[in-house]
Amino acid sequence: MKQWLKQIYQHLFALFFPDHCAVCRQRGTLLCGNCRATLQAYPTMAVPTDLVSIQVGWIYDEPARRAIHCLKYRGRRRMGGVLAEALATTLTPPAADALIPVPLHPDRLNERGFNQAEELANSLGLCWGIRVCNRGLERERDTGHQARLNREARQGNVAGAFFWHGPGRPPARVILIDDVVTTGATLSACAEALLAAGAKEVHAIALARSLVRGSSGSAVRRHFAQRRRRQA
């Protein structure tokens, strides 16, 4: 009965408040096919301390930013499934026993109402057939917003902020899931807590990252120049 009522509610909500693409505002979808095609693949990034590997889906430019903000700040939780589905077709995950979303502090979780990394992990778990471990890793200290902090300040800000509280040990092979990565300090701090609790290897996957000037930018330009030549 509850599921039936939920379906009716979703149908009525979609009827009176139809979806619009977060990027171009086209009616009928949260992320249209044309805008999804403009998401630019992120080339590579240095692997943060304590991680075995890290994969980033897209460059955090205007299309990706608008889509992620739709999920993160406008409360459109279904965008998590849309972005996860797109990411699942873009990246191949390493062998793992579980996906673990980067946790929010309880105060931030109460403020936002949901954890965007958890929404992504739940959908990615279905796409990849990997179980999701939403309990155990906790953020015990509110680290606030890190956007204006440099690399060293970010590392110090998140040091010791995460702990594993079970039950039991964490899975042996873990993939951390997050929305946006900058320096990787948060992911590294999460990995440190998991390894200390008994995990054997920790990987990470994120939706997007701002393009760092330098060799990565050159790699991206070469990548899209080659793709344009193939299409021509």
Side-chain angles (χ1 to χ4, degrees):
M1 185 64 176
K2 289 183 179 180
Q3 184 63 29
W4 178 77
L5 287 174
K6 182 179 179 181
Q7 290 176 348
I8 293 294
Y9 171 79
Q10 290 176 342
H11 177 76
L12 290 174
F13 188 88
L15 181 64
F16 291 102
F17 302 98
D19 289 333
H20 291 81
C21 176
V23 182
C24 71
R25 305 303 298 163
Q26 176 180 319
R27 185 171 175 171
T29 179
L30 290 174
L31 184 64
C32 73
N34 289 337
C35 291
R36 175 172 167 172
T38 66
L39 297 174
Q40 299 186 54
Y42 197 92
T44 57
M45 69 170 286
V47 180
T49 305
D50 294 320
L51 292 175
V52 177
S53 71
I54 181 168
Q55 296 183 68
V56 179
W58 308 295
I59 298 171
Y60 191 55
D61 57 6
E62 193 61 23
R65 183 182 295 108
R66 288 191 180 186
I68 293 171
H69 280 201
C70 179
L71 164 67
K72 195 171 180 178
Y73 300 118
R74 291 169 54 196
R76 303 303 295 271
R77 297 174 66 166
R78 289 185 296 111
M79 179 62 89
V82 173
L83 290 172
E85 181 184 353
L87 189 70
T89 61
T90 301
L91 302 179
T92 300
D97 302 305
L99 306 179
I100 295 183
V102 172
L104 291 176
H105 186 270
D107 291 345
R108 186 66 57 81
L109 183 60
N110 289 334
E111 176 185 328
R112 184 168 295 164
F114 68 98
N115 179 1
Q116 69 278 0
E118 188 171 322
E119 297 293 324
L120 294 168
N122 289 337
S123 295
L124 286 171
L126 291 175
C127 292
W128 287 332
I130 304 174
R131 74 182 179 97
V132 181
C133 185
N134 285 321
R135 300 293 178 267
L137 183 64
E138 297 181 7
R139 187 189 299 244
E140 294 196 334
R141 177 164 51 81
D142 189 357
T143 55
H145 297 286
Q146 298 209 116
R148 297 182 179 180
L149 301 180
N150 61 28
R151 179 181 294 273
E152 291 73 18
R154 287 170 186 262
Q155 291 173 341
N157 190 41
V158 297
F162 300 92
F163 292 89
W164 177 262
H165 288 298
R169 293 185 176 185
R173 301 172 301 173
V174 169
I175 302 177
L176 288 166
I177 302 297
D178 207 357
D179 55 346
V180 179
V181 59
T182 305
T183 64
T186 297
L187 293 171
S188 183
C190 289
E192 182 180 11
L194 290 168
L195 292 170
K200 300 303 180 183
E201 59 182 58
V202 182
H203 305 262
I205 288 177
L207 287 179
R209 185 191 189 209
S210 294
L211 186 62
V212 177
R213 295 185 180 277
S215 59
S216 294
S218 299
V220 170
R221 287 191 291 272
R222 288 196 300 271
H223 169 80
F224 283 98
Q226 292 171 358
R227 192 170 73 174
R228 284 193 295 270
R229 286 196 294 270
R230 289 195 298 269
Q231 292 174 343

